[in-house]
Coordinates of all heavy atoms in Angstrom, one line a residue:
M1 N 13.1 -3.4 -9.7 CA 12.2 -3.8 -8.6 C 11.8 -2.6 -7.7 O 12.5 -1.7 -7.6 CB 13.0 -4.8 -7.7 CG 12.1 -5.6 -6.7 SD 13.0 -5.8 -5.1 CE 14.3 -6.9 -5.5
A2 N 10.5 -2.7 -7.2 CA 10.0 -1.6 -6.4 C 10.8 -1.5 -5.1 O 11.3 -2.5 -4.6 CB 8.6 -1.8 -6.1
E3 N 11.0 -0.2 -4.7 CA 11.8 0.0 -3.5 C 10.9 0.3 -2.3 O 9.9 0.9 -2.4 CB 12.7 1.3 -3.7 CG 13.6 1.1 -5.0 CD 15.0 1.6 -4.7 OE1 15.2 2.5 -3.9 OE2 15.9 1.1 -5.4
R4 N 11.4 -0.1 -1.1 CA 10.7 0.2 0.1 C 10.5 1.7 0.3 O 11.4 2.4 0.0 CB 11.4 -0.4 1.3 CG 11.2 -1.9 1.5 CD 12.1 -2.4 2.6 NE 11.7 -1.9 3.9 CZ 12.3 -2.4 5.0 NH1 13.2 -3.3 5.0 NH2 11.8 -2.0 6.2
L5 N 9.3 2.1 0.7 CA 9.0 3.5 1.0 C 9.7 3.9 2.2 O 9.8 3.1 3.2 CB 7.5 3.7 1.1 CG 6.6 3.4 -0.1 CD1 5.2 3.7 0.2 CD2 7.1 4.2 -1.3
S6 N 10.1 5.2 2.3 CA 10.7 5.7 3.5 C 9.6 5.8 4.5 O 8.4 5.8 4.2 CB 11.2 7.2 3.2 OG 10.1 8.0 2.9
A7 N 9.9 6.0 5.8 CA 8.9 6.1 6.8 C 8.0 7.2 6.6 O 6.8 7.1 6.8 CB 9.6 6.2 8.2
E8 N 8.5 8.3 6.1 CA 7.7 9.5 5.8 C 6.7 9.3 4.7 O 5.5 9.6 4.8 CB 8.6 10.7 5.5 CG 7.9 12.0 5.3 CD 6.9 12.4 6.4 OE1 7.1 12.0 7.5 OE2 5.9 13.0 6.0
A9 N 7.2 8.7 3.6 CA 6.4 8.4 2.4 C 5.3 7.4 2.8 O 4.1 7.5 2.3 CB 7.2 7.9 1.3
H10 N 5.7 6.5 3.6 CA 4.8 5.5 4.1 C 3.6 6.1 4.9 O 2.5 5.8 4.6 CB 5.6 4.6 5.0 CG 5.0 3.3 5.4 ND1 5.8 2.2 5.6 CD2 3.8 2.9 5.5 CE1 5.0 1.2 5.9 NE2 3.8 1.6 5.9
R11 N 4.0 6.9 5.9 CA 3.0 7.6 6.7 C 2.0 8.5 5.8 O 0.8 8.4 6.0 CB 3.7 8.6 7.7 CG 3.5 8.2 9.1 CD 3.9 9.3 10.1 NE 5.1 9.9 9.8 CZ 6.4 9.4 10.1 NH1 6.5 8.3 10.7 NH2 7.5 10.1 9.8
Q12 N 2.6 9.2 4.9 CA 1.8 10.0 4.0 C 0.8 9.2 3.2 O -0.3 9.6 3.0 CB 2.8 10.8 3.1 CG 2.3 12.2 2.8 CD 3.4 13.0 2.1 OE1 4.6 12.6 2.1 NE2 3.0 14.1 1.5
A13 N 1.3 8.1 2.7 CA 0.4 7.3 1.8 C -0.7 6.7 2.6 O -1.9 6.7 2.2 CB 1.3 6.1 1.2
L14 N -0.5 6.3 3.9 CA -1.5 5.8 4.7 C -2.6 6.8 5.0 O -3.8 6.5 5.2 CB -0.9 5.2 6.0 CG -0.4 3.8 6.0 CD1 -0.1 3.4 7.4 CD2 -1.4 2.8 5.4
G15 N -2.2 8.1 5.1 CA -3.1 9.2 5.3 C -4.2 9.2 4.2 O -5.3 9.7 4.5
G16 N -3.8 8.8 3.0 CA -4.8 8.9 1.9 C -5.5 7.6 1.7 O -6.1 7.4 0.6
L17 N -5.4 6.6 2.6 CA -5.9 5.3 2.4 C -6.9 4.9 3.6 O -6.4 4.3 4.5 CB -4.8 4.3 2.3 CG -4.1 4.1 1.0 CD1 -2.9 3.1 1.2 CD2 -5.0 3.6 -0.1
P18 N -8.1 5.3 3.5 CA -9.0 5.1 4.6 C -9.1 3.6 5.0 O -9.2 2.7 4.1 CB -10.4 5.5 4.0 CG -10.1 6.5 2.9 CD -8.7 6.1 2.4
G19 N -8.9 3.4 6.3 CA -9.1 2.0 6.9 C -7.8 1.2 6.9 O -7.7 0.2 7.6
W20 N -6.7 1.7 6.2 CA -5.5 0.9 6.2 C -4.6 1.4 7.4 O -4.5 2.6 7.6 CB -4.7 1.1 4.9 CG -5.4 0.4 3.8 CD1 -6.5 0.9 3.0 CD2 -5.2 -0.9 3.3 NE1 -6.9 0.0 2.1 CE2 -6.2 -1.2 2.3 CE3 -4.4 -2.0 3.7 CZ2 -6.2 -2.4 1.6 CZ3 -4.4 -3.2 3.0 CH2 -5.3 -3.4 2.0
T21 N -3.9 0.5 8.0 CA -3.1 0.8 9.2 C -1.8 0.0 9.1 O -1.7 -1.0 8.3 CB -3.7 0.5 10.5 OG1 -4.1 -0.9 10.5 CG2 -5.0 1.3 10.7
E22 N -0.8 0.4 9.8 CA 0.5 -0.4 9.9 C 0.2 -1.7 10.6 O -0.6 -1.8 11.6 CB 1.5 0.4 10.9 CG 1.8 1.8 10.5 CD 2.8 1.9 9.4 OE1 3.4 0.8 9.0 OE2 3.1 3.0 8.9
V23 N 0.8 -2.7 10.1 CA 0.8 -4.0 10.8 C 1.9 -4.0 11.9 O 3.0 -3.6 11.6 CB 1.0 -5.2 9.8 CG1 1.2 -6.5 10.5 CG2 -0.1 -5.3 8.8
Q24 N 1.5 -4.5 13.1 CA 2.5 -4.5 14.2 C 3.6 -5.6 13.9 O 3.3 -6.7 13.4 CB 1.8 -4.9 15.5 CG 0.9 -3.8 16.0 CD 1.6 -2.5 16.2 OE1 2.6 -2.5 16.9 NE2 1.2 -1.4 15.6
G25 N 4.8 -5.2 14.1 CA 5.9 -6.1 14.1 C 6.5 -6.5 12.7 O 7.4 -7.3 12.6
R26 N 6.0 -5.8 11.7 CA 6.6 -6.0 10.3 C 6.3 -4.8 9.4 O 5.4 -4.1 9.7 CB 6.2 -7.3 9.7 CG 4.7 -7.4 9.5 CD 4.3 -8.8 8.8 NE 4.6 -8.8 7.4 CZ 4.0 -9.5 6.5 NH1 3.1 -10.4 6.9 NH2 4.4 -9.5 5.2
D27 N 7.0 -4.7 8.4 CA 6.8 -3.6 7.4 C 5.7 -4.0 6.4 O 6.0 -4.6 5.4 CB 8.1 -3.2 6.7 CG 8.0 -2.0 5.9 OD1 6.9 -1.3 6.0 OD2 8.9 -1.7 5.1
A28 N 4.5 -3.8 6.8 CA 3.3 -4.2 6.0 C 2.1 -3.3 6.4 O 2.1 -2.7 7.5 CB 3.0 -5.6 6.3
I29 N 1.1 -3.2 5.5 CA -0.1 -2.5 5.9 C -1.3 -3.5 5.8 O -1.2 -4.5 5.1 CB -0.3 -1.3 4.9 CG1 -0.4 -1.8 3.5 CG2 0.7 -0.2 5.1 CD1 -0.8 -0.6 2.5
G30 N -2.3 -3.2 6.6 CA -3.4 -4.1 6.7 C -4.8 -3.4 6.8 O -4.8 -2.2 7.2
K31 N -5.8 -4.1 6.4 CA -7.2 -3.6 6.5 C -8.1 -4.8 6.6 O -7.9 -5.8 6.0 CB -7.6 -2.7 5.3 CG -9.0 -2.2 5.4 CD -9.3 -1.1 4.4 CE -10.8 -0.7 4.4 NZ -11.1 0.4 3.5
T32 N -9.1 -4.6 7.5 CA -10.2 -5.6 7.6 C -11.4 -5.1 6.9 O -12.0 -4.1 7.4 CB -10.4 -6.0 9.1 OG1 -9.2 -6.5 9.6 CG2 -11.5 -7.0 9.2
F33 N -11.8 -5.7 5.9 CA -13.1 -5.3 5.2 C -14.2 -6.2 5.7 O -14.1 -7.4 5.8 CB -12.9 -5.6 3.7 CG -11.9 -4.7 3.0 CD1 -10.6 -5.1 2.9 CD2 -12.3 -3.5 2.4 CE1 -9.7 -4.3 2.2 CE2 -11.4 -2.7 1.7 CZ -10.1 -3.1 1.6
V34 N -15.3 -5.6 6.0 CA -16.5 -6.3 6.4 C -17.7 -6.0 5.4 O -18.0 -4.9 5.2 CB -16.9 -6.0 7.9 CG1 -18.1 -6.8 8.3 CG2 -15.8 -6.2 8.8
F35 N -18.2 -7.1 4.8 CA -19.2 -6.9 3.8 C -20.6 -7.4 4.4 O -20.7 -7.7 5.6 CB -18.9 -7.7 2.6 CG -17.6 -7.2 1.9 CD1 -16.4 -7.7 2.2 CD2 -17.7 -6.2 1.0 CE1 -15.2 -7.2 1.7 CE2 -16.5 -5.6 0.5 CZ -15.3 -6.2 0.8
K36 N -21.6 -7.4 3.5 CA -22.9 -7.8 4.0 C -23.0 -9.3 4.2 O -23.7 -9.7 5.2 CB -23.9 -7.3 2.9 CG -25.4 -7.4 3.3 CD -26.3 -7.1 2.1 CE -26.2 -8.3 1.0 NZ -27.1 -8.0 -0.1
D37 N -22.4 -10.0 3.4 CA -22.5 -11.5 3.5 C -21.3 -12.1 2.8 O -20.5 -11.4 2.2 CB -23.8 -12.0 3.0 CG -24.1 -11.5 1.5 OD1 -23.1 -11.2 0.8 OD2 -25.3 -11.5 1.1
F38 N -21.3 -13.4 2.7 CA -20.2 -14.1 2.1 C -20.1 -13.8 0.6 O -19.0 -13.7 0.0 CB -20.3 -15.6 2.3 CG -19.3 -16.4 1.6 CD1 -18.0 -16.5 2.1 CD2 -19.5 -17.1 0.4 CE1 -17.0 -17.2 1.4 CE2 -18.5 -17.9 -0.2 CZ -17.3 -17.9 0.3
N39 N -21.3 -13.7 0.0 CA -21.3 -13.4 -1.5 C -20.6 -12.1 -1.8 O -19.8 -12.1 -2.8 CB -22.8 -13.4 -1.9 CG -22.9 -13.5 -3.4 OD1 -22.3 -14.3 -4.1 ND2 -23.8 -12.6 -4.0
E40 N -20.9 -11.1 -1.0 CA -20.2 -9.8 -1.3 C -18.7 -9.9 -1.0 O -17.9 -9.3 -1.7 CB -20.8 -8.7 -0.4 CG -22.3 -8.5 -0.6 CD -22.7 -8.0 -2.0 OE1 -21.8 -7.6 -2.7 OE2 -23.9 -8.0 -2.3
A41 N -18.4 -10.6 0.1 CA -17.0 -10.7 0.5 C -16.2 -11.5 -0.6 O -15.1 -11.0 -1.1 CB -16.8 -11.5 1.8
F42 N -16.8 -12.5 -1.1 CA -16.1 -13.3 -2.2 C -16.0 -12.6 -3.5 O -15.1 -12.7 -4.3 CB -16.7 -14.7 -2.3 CG -15.7 -15.7 -2.8 CD1 -14.7 -16.2 -2.0 CD2 -15.7 -16.1 -4.2 CE1 -13.7 -17.1 -2.5 CE2 -14.8 -17.0 -4.7 CZ -13.8 -17.5 -3.9
G43 N -17.1 -11.8 -3.8 CA -17.1 -11.0 -5.0 C -16.0 -10.0 -4.9 O -15.3 -9.8 -5.9
F44 N -15.8 -9.4 -3.8 CA -14.7 -8.4 -3.6 C -13.3 -9.2 -3.9 O -12.5 -8.7 -4.6 CB -14.7 -7.9 -2.2 CG -13.4 -7.2 -1.7 CD1 -13.1 -6.0 -2.1 CD2 -12.5 -7.9 -0.9 CE1 -11.9 -5.4 -1.7 CE2 -11.3 -7.4 -0.5 CZ -11.0 -6.1 -0.9
M45 N -13.2 -10.3 -3.3 CA -11.9 -11.1 -3.4 C -11.7 -11.4 -4.9 O -10.5 -11.4 -5.4 CB -11.9 -12.3 -2.6 CG -11.9 -12.0 -1.1 SD -12.0 -13.5 -0.1 CE -10.2 -13.9 0.0
T46 N -12.7 -11.8 -5.6 CA -12.6 -12.2 -7.0 C -12.1 -11.0 -7.8 O -11.2 -11.1 -8.6 CB -13.9 -12.7 -7.5 OG1 -14.4 -13.8 -6.7 CG2 -13.8 -13.2 -9.0
R47 N -12.8 -9.8 -7.6 CA -12.4 -8.6 -8.4 C -10.9 -8.2 -8.0 O -10.1 -7.9 -8.9 CB -13.3 -7.5 -8.1 CG -14.7 -7.7 -8.6 CD -15.7 -6.6 -8.3 NE -17.0 -6.9 -8.7 CZ -18.0 -7.3 -7.9 NH1 -17.7 -7.5 -6.6 NH2 -19.2 -7.7 -8.3
A48 N -10.6 -8.3 -6.7 CA -9.3 -7.9 -6.3 C -8.2 -8.8 -6.8 O -7.1 -8.4 -7.1 CB -9.3 -7.8 -4.7
A49 N -8.6 -10.1 -6.9 CA -7.6 -11.1 -7.4 C -7.3 -10.8 -8.8 O -6.1 -11.0 -9.2 CB -8.2 -12.5 -7.2
L50 N -8.2 -10.4 -9.6 CA -8.0 -10.1 -11.0 C -7.0 -8.9 -11.2 O -6.1 -8.9 -12.0 CB -9.3 -9.8 -11.8 CG -10.2 -11.1 -11.9 CD1 -11.5 -10.7 -12.6 CD2 -9.5 -12.2 -12.6
V51 N -7.2 -7.9 -10.3 CA -6.3 -6.7 -10.3 C -4.9 -7.1 -9.8 O -3.9 -6.8 -10.5 CB -6.9 -5.6 -9.4 CG1 -5.9 -4.5 -9.2 CG2 -8.2 -5.1 -10.0
A52 N -4.9 -7.9 -8.8 CA -3.6 -8.3 -8.2 C -2.8 -9.1 -9.2 O -1.6 -8.9 -9.4 CB -3.8 -9.2 -7.0
E53 N -3.5 -10.0 -10.0 CA -2.8 -10.9 -10.9 C -2.3 -10.0 -12.1 O -1.2 -10.2 -12.6 CB -3.8 -12.0 -11.4 CG -3.2 -12.9 -12.4 CD -2.0 -13.7 -11.8 OE1 -1.7 -13.7 -10.6 OE2 -1.4 -14.5 -12.6
K54 N -3.1 -9.0 -12.5 CA -2.6 -8.1 -13.6 C -1.4 -7.3 -13.1 O -0.5 -7.1 -13.9 CB -3.8 -7.2 -13.9 CG -3.8 -6.6 -15.3 CD -5.1 -6.0 -15.6 CE -5.1 -5.5 -17.1 NZ -6.4 -4.9 -17.5
M55 N -1.4 -6.9 -11.9 CA -0.2 -6.2 -11.3 C 1.0 -7.1 -11.0 O 2.0 -6.6 -10.7 CB -0.6 -5.5 -10.0 CG -1.6 -4.3 -10.1 SD -2.0 -3.7 -8.5 CE -0.5 -3.1 -7.9
D56 N 0.7 -8.4 -11.0 CA 1.7 -9.3 -10.5 C 2.2 -9.0 -9.1 O 3.3 -8.9 -8.8 CB 2.9 -9.5 -11.5 CG 3.8 -10.6 -11.1 OD1 3.3 -11.6 -10.5 OD2 5.0 -10.5 -11.3
H57 N 1.1 -8.6 -8.3 CA 1.4 -8.2 -6.9 C 0.2 -8.7 -6.1 O -0.9 -8.4 -6.3 CB 1.5 -6.7 -6.8 CG 2.1 -6.3 -5.5 ND1 3.4 -6.5 -5.2 CD2 1.5 -5.6 -4.5 CE1 3.6 -6.0 -3.9 NE2 2.5 -5.5 -3.5
H58 N 0.6 -9.6 -5.2 CA -0.5 -10.4 -4.5 C -0.6 -10.2 -3.0 O 0.3 -10.1 -2.3 CB -0.2 -11.9 -4.8 CG -0.1 -12.2 -6.3 ND1 1.1 -12.1 -7.0 CD2 -1.0 -12.5 -7.2 CE1 0.9 -12.4 -8.3 NE2 -0.4 -12.6 -8.4
P59 N -1.9 -10.2 -2.6 CA -2.2 -10.0 -1.2 C -2.0 -11.2 -0.3 O -2.1 -12.3 -0.8 CB -3.7 -9.6 -1.2 CG -4.2 -10.3 -2.4 CD -3.1 -10.4 -3.4
E60 N -1.8 -11.0 1.0 CA -1.9 -12.0 2.0 C -3.3 -11.7 2.5 O -3.6 -10.6 2.9 CB -0.9 -11.8 3.1 CG 0.6 -11.9 2.6 CD 1.6 -11.5 3.7 OE1 1.3 -11.7 4.9 OE2 2.6 -11.0 3.3
W61 N -4.2 -12.7 2.5 CA -5.5 -12.4 3.0 C -6.2 -13.7 3.5 O -5.8 -14.8 3.3 CB -6.4 -11.7 1.9 CG -6.5 -12.4 0.6 CD1 -6.0 -13.6 0.2 CD2 -7.1 -11.8 -0.6 NE1 -6.3 -13.8 -1.1 CE2 -7.0 -12.7 -1.6 CE3 -7.8 -10.6 -0.9 CZ2 -7.5 -12.5 -2.9 CZ3 -8.3 -10.4 -2.1 CH2 -8.1 -11.3 -3.1
R62 N -7.2 -13.4 4.3 CA -8.0 -14.4 5.0 C -9.4 -14.1 5.1 O -9.8 -12.9 5.4 CB -7.4 -14.5 6.5 CG -8.1 -15.5 7.4 CD -7.3 -15.6 8.7 NE -7.9 -16.7 9.5 CZ -8.8 -16.5 10.4 NH1 -9.2 -15.3 10.7 NH2 -9.3 -17.5 11.1
N63 N -10.2 -15.0 4.6 CA -11.7 -14.8 4.6 C -12.4 -15.6 5.6 O -12.2 -16.8 5.7 CB -12.2 -15.1 3.2 CG -13.7 -15.2 3.1 OD1 -14.2 -16.3 2.7 ND2 -14.5 -14.2 3.6
V64 N -13.2 -15.0 6.5 CA -14.1 -15.8 7.3 C -15.5 -15.2 7.1 O -15.8 -14.0 7.4 CB -13.8 -15.7 8.8 CG1 -14.7 -16.5 9.7 CG2 -12.3 -16.2 9.0
Y65 N -16.4 -16.0 6.5 CA -17.8 -15.5 6.1 C -17.8 -14.2 5.4 O -17.4 -14.1 4.3 CB -18.6 -15.6 7.4 CG -20.1 -15.1 7.2 CD1 -20.8 -15.5 6.0 CD2 -20.7 -14.3 8.1 CE1 -22.1 -15.0 5.8 CE2 -22.0 -13.8 7.9 CZ -22.7 -14.2 6.7 OH -24.0 -13.8 6.5
K66 N -18.2 -13.1 6.1 CA -18.3 -11.8 5.4 C -17.1 -10.9 5.6 O -17.1 -9.7 5.2 CB -19.6 -11.1 5.7 CG -19.7 -10.8 7.2 CD -21.1 -10.1 7.5 CE -21.2 -9.7 8.9 NZ -22.3 -8.9 9.2
T67 N -16.1 -11.4 6.3 CA -14.9 -10.6 6.7 C -13.7 -11.0 5.8 O -13.5 -12.2 5.7 CB -14.6 -10.7 8.2 OG1 -15.7 -10.2 8.9 CG2 -13.4 -9.9 8.6
V68 N -13.0 -10.0 5.3 CA -11.8 -10.3 4.6 C -10.6 -9.5 5.2 O -10.7 -8.2 5.2 CB -11.9 -9.9 3.1 CG1 -10.6 -10.3 2.4 CG2 -13.1 -10.6 2.4
E69 N -9.7 -10.2 5.8 CA -8.5 -9.5 6.4 C -7.4 -9.5 5.4 O -7.0 -10.6 4.9 CB -8.0 -10.3 7.7 CG -9.0 -10.3 8.8 CD -8.6 -11.2 9.9 OE1 -7.4 -11.7 9.9 OE2 -9.4 -11.6 10.8
V70 N -6.9 -8.3 5.1 CA -5.9 -8.2 4.0 C -4.6 -7.6 4.6 O -4.6 -6.7 5.4 CB -6.3 -7.2 2.9 CG1 -5.3 -7.2 1.8 CG2 -7.7 -7.7 2.4
V71 N -3.4 -8.2 4.3 CA -2.1 -7.6 4.6 C -1.4 -7.5 3.3 O -1.3 -8.4 2.5 CB -1.3 -8.5 5.6 CG1 0.1 -8.1 5.7 CG2 -2.0 -8.6 6.9
L72 N -0.8 -6.3 3.1 CA 0.0 -6.0 1.9 C 1.4 -5.7 2.2 O 1.7 -4.9 3.1 CB -0.6 -4.9 1.1 CG -2.1 -5.1 0.6 CD1 -2.5 -3.8 -0.2 CD2 -2.2 -6.3 -0.3
S73 N 2.3 -6.4 1.5 CA 3.8 -6.1 1.7 C 4.4 -6.6 0.4 O 3.9 -7.6 -0.2 CB 4.3 -6.9 2.9 OG 5.7 -6.7 3.0
T74 N 5.5 -6.0 0.0 CA 6.2 -6.5 -1.2 C 7.3 -7.5 -0.7 O 8.3 -7.1 -0.1 CB 6.8 -5.3 -2.0 OG1 5.7 -4.4 -2.3 CG2 7.5 -5.8 -3.2
H75 N 7.1 -8.7 -1.0 CA 8.0 -9.8 -0.4 C 9.4 -9.6 -1.0 O 10.4 -9.8 -0.2 CB 7.4 -11.2 -0.7 CG 6.0 -11.3 -0.2 ND1 4.9 -11.7 -1.0 CD2 5.4 -10.9 1.0 CE1 3.8 -11.7 -0.3 NE2 4.1 -11.2 0.9
D76 N 9.5 -9.3 -2.3 CA 10.8 -9.2 -2.9 C 11.6 -8.1 -2.3 O 12.8 -8.1 -2.3 CB 10.7 -8.9 -4.4 CG 10.0 -10.1 -5.2 OD1 9.9 -11.2 -4.6 OD2 9.5 -9.8 -6.3
A77 N 10.9 -7.0 -1.8 CA 11.6 -5.9 -1.2 C 11.7 -5.9 0.3 O 12.3 -5.1 0.9 CB 10.9 -4.6 -1.6
G78 N 10.9 -6.8 0.9 CA 10.9 -7.0 2.4 C 10.2 -5.9 3.1 O 10.5 -5.6 4.2
G79 N 9.2 -5.3 2.4 CA 8.5 -4.2 3.1 C 7.5 -3.5 2.1 O 7.2 -4.0 1.0
V80 N 6.9 -2.4 2.6 CA 5.9 -1.7 1.8 C 6.5 -0.9 0.7 O 7.5 -0.1 0.9 CB 5.1 -0.8 2.8 CG1 4.1 0.0 2.0 CG2 4.4 -1.6 3.8
T81 N 6.0 -1.0 -0.5 CA 6.4 -0.2 -1.7 C 5.2 0.4 -2.3 O 4.1 0.2 -1.9 CB 7.1 -1.1 -2.7 OG1 6.1 -2.0 -3.3 CG2 8.2 -2.0 -2.1
A82 N 5.5 1.2 -3.4 CA 4.4 1.8 -4.1 C 3.4 0.8 -4.6 O 2.2 1.1 -4.8 CB 5.0 2.7 -5.2
L83 N 3.8 -0.4 -4.9 CA 2.9 -1.4 -5.4 C 1.8 -1.8 -4.3 O 0.6 -2.0 -4.7 CB 3.7 -2.7 -5.7 CG 4.5 -2.6 -7.0 CD1 5.4 -3.9 -7.1 CD2 3.7 -2.5 -8.2
D84 N 2.2 -1.8 -3.1 CA 1.2 -2.1 -2.0 C 0.2 -0.9 -1.9 O -1.0 -1.2 -1.7 CB 2.0 -2.3 -0.7 CG 2.9 -3.4 -0.8 OD1 2.4 -4.6 -1.0 OD2 4.1 -3.2 -0.6
I85 N 0.7 0.3 -2.0 CA -0.2 1.5 -1.9 C -1.2 1.4 -3.1 O -2.4 1.7 -2.9 CB 0.6 2.8 -2.0 CG1 1.7 2.8 -0.8 CG2 -0.3 4.0 -1.9 CD1 1.1 2.6 0.6
E86 N -0.7 1.1 -4.3 CA -1.5 1.0 -5.5 C -2.6 -0.1 -5.3 O -3.8 0.2 -5.6 CB -0.6 0.7 -6.7 CG -1.3 0.9 -8.0 CD -0.4 0.5 -9.2 OE1 0.8 0.7 -9.1 OE2 -0.9 0.0 -10.2
L87 N -2.2 -1.2 -4.8 CA -3.2 -2.3 -4.6 C -4.2 -2.0 -3.5 O -5.4 -2.3 -3.7 CB -2.5 -3.6 -4.3 CG -3.3 -4.9 -4.2 CD1 -4.2 -5.1 -5.5 CD2 -2.5 -6.1 -4.0
A88 N -3.7 -1.3 -2.5 CA -4.6 -0.9 -1.4 C -5.7 0.1 -1.9 O -6.9 -0.1 -1.6 CB -3.8 -0.3 -0.3
K89 N -5.3 1.0 -2.8 CA -6.2 2.0 -3.4 C -7.2 1.2 -4.2 O -8.4 1.5 -4.2 CB -5.4 3.0 -4.2 CG -4.9 4.1 -3.5 CD -4.3 5.2 -4.4 CE -3.6 6.2 -3.6 NZ -2.4 6.8 -4.3
A90 N -6.7 0.3 -5.0 CA -7.6 -0.5 -5.9 C -8.7 -1.2 -5.1 O -9.8 -1.3 -5.4 CB -6.8 -1.4 -6.8
M91 N -8.2 -1.8 -3.9 CA -9.1 -2.6 -3.1 C -10.2 -1.7 -2.5 O -11.3 -2.1 -2.4 CB -8.3 -3.3 -2.0 CG -7.6 -4.5 -2.5 SD -6.7 -5.4 -1.2 CE -6.4 -6.9 -2.0
N92 N -9.8 -0.5 -2.0 CA -10.8 0.4 -1.5 C -11.8 0.8 -2.5 O -13.0 0.8 -2.2 CB -10.1 1.7 -1.0 CG -9.6 1.6 0.4 OD1 -9.5 0.5 1.0 ND2 -9.1 2.7 1.0
A93 N -11.4 1.0 -3.8 CA -12.3 1.3 -4.9 C -13.2 0.2 -5.1 O -14.4 0.3 -5.3 CB -11.5 1.7 -6.1
I94 N -12.7 -1.0 -5.2 CA -13.5 -2.2 -5.4 C -14.5 -2.4 -4.3 O -15.7 -2.8 -4.6 CB -12.6 -3.5 -5.6 CG1 -11.8 -3.4 -6.9 CG2 -13.5 -4.8 -5.6 CD1 -10.6 -4.4 -6.9
A95 N -14.1 -2.2 -3.1 CA -15.0 -2.4 -1.9 C -16.2 -1.5 -2.0 O -17.3 -1.8 -1.6 CB -14.3 -2.3 -0.6
K96 N -15.9 -0.3 -2.5 CA -17.0 0.8 -2.6 C -18.0 0.4 -3.7 O -19.2 0.7 -3.6 CB -16.4 2.1 -3.0 CG -16.0 2.9 -1.8 CD -15.9 4.4 -2.0 CE -15.1 5.1 -0.9 NZ -13.9 5.7 -1.4
L97 N -17.5 -0.4 -4.7 CA -18.4 -0.8 -5.8 C -19.3 -2.0 -5.4 O -20.3 -2.3 -6.0 CB -17.6 -1.2 -7.0 CG -16.8 -0.2 -7.7 CD1 -15.9 -0.8 -8.8 CD2 -17.6 0.9 -8.2
T98 N -18.8 -2.7 -4.3 CA -19.5 -3.9 -3.9 C -20.7 -3.5 -3.0 O -20.4 -2.9 -1.9 CB -18.5 -4.8 -3.1 OG1 -17.4 -5.0 -4.0 CG2 -19.2 -6.1 -2.8
P99 N -21.9 -3.7 -3.4 CA -23.0 -3.3 -2.5 C -22.9 -4.0 -1.1 O -22.4 -5.1 -1.0 CB -24.2 -3.8 -3.3 CG -23.8 -4.4 -4.5 CD -22.3 -4.4 -4.6
G100 N -23.4 -3.3 -0.2 CA -23.4 -3.9 1.2 C -22.4 -3.3 2.0 O -22.3 -3.5 3.2
Ligands
H2B201 N1 3.4 -10.2 -4.5 C1 3.8 -9.5 -3.4 N2 3.0 -9.1 -2.5 N3 5.1 -9.3 -3.3 C2 6.1 -9.7 -4.1 O1 7.2 -9.5 -3.9 C3 5.6 -10.4 -5.3 C4 4.2 -10.6 -5.4 N4 6.4 -10.8 -6.2 N5 3.7 -11.4 -6.4 C5 6.0 -11.4 -7.5 C6 4.6 -12.0 -7.4 C7 7.1 -12.3 -8.0 O2 7.2 -13.4 -7.1 C8 6.8 -12.8 -9.4 C9 7.9 -13.8 -9.8 O3 6.8 -11.7 -10.2

């Protein structure tokens, strides 16, 4: 099972992840993606969902129109692991591919 990152590894990983920040009150990272419209937002979610399923690592997320709020944490480990960092990177890459 993936292990929780140390505070230092955690900080360092966030430095290389534009837009991602610590979630207050729990060991998790979050980012709010804002797209051009619902179509772009849902396209992002669809692509990200396929990656998440392949990784067997799933986001907590909420969509309102063109905004997607994402929180990543490894539930089995009770905090942030390398899997969250990997999925966050993939989401940033997918968002860049999504026009708007
Ligand atoms: N996603 C996340 N974010 N954390 C987990 O611990 C997790 C998961 N565990 N997706 C996986 C599924 C586990 O429940 C299954 C059985 O592999």
Side-chain angles (χ1 to χ4, degrees):
M1 192 218 292
E3 307 223 330
R4 281 173 69 173
L5 296 180
S6 69
E8 181 50 33
H10 194 151
R11 245 195 314 279
Q12 216 171 341
L14 276 188
L17 280 174
W20 290 86
T21 58
E22 304 277 358
V23 171
Q24 289 302 306
R26 60 180 285 205
D27 187 8
I29 58 175
K31 178 170 177 174
T32 298
F33 292 89
V34 182
F35 296 93
K36 189 185 72 181
D37 55 24
F38 178 74
N39 195 45
E40 300 297 348
F42 204 77
F44 163 79
M45 293 180 84
T46 304
R47 293 181 187 98
L50 294 176
V51 172
E53 183 62 7
K54 204 164 184 180
M55 289 176 64
D56 191 29
H57 193 67
H58 303 90
E60 300 171 29
W61 54 7
R62 175 171 187 265
N63 163 237
V64 179
Y65 179 41
K66 62 180 183 170
T67 298
V68 182
E69 293 170 17
V70 183
V71 171
L72 299 180
S73 176
T74 302
H75 307 129
D76 297 341
V80 176
T81 69
L83 288 172
D84 299 300
I85 303 303
E86 191 182 331
L87 185 54
K89 275 189 189 143
M91 284 182 165
N92 275 10
I94 291 165
K96 272 200 194 121
L97 297 176
T98 307

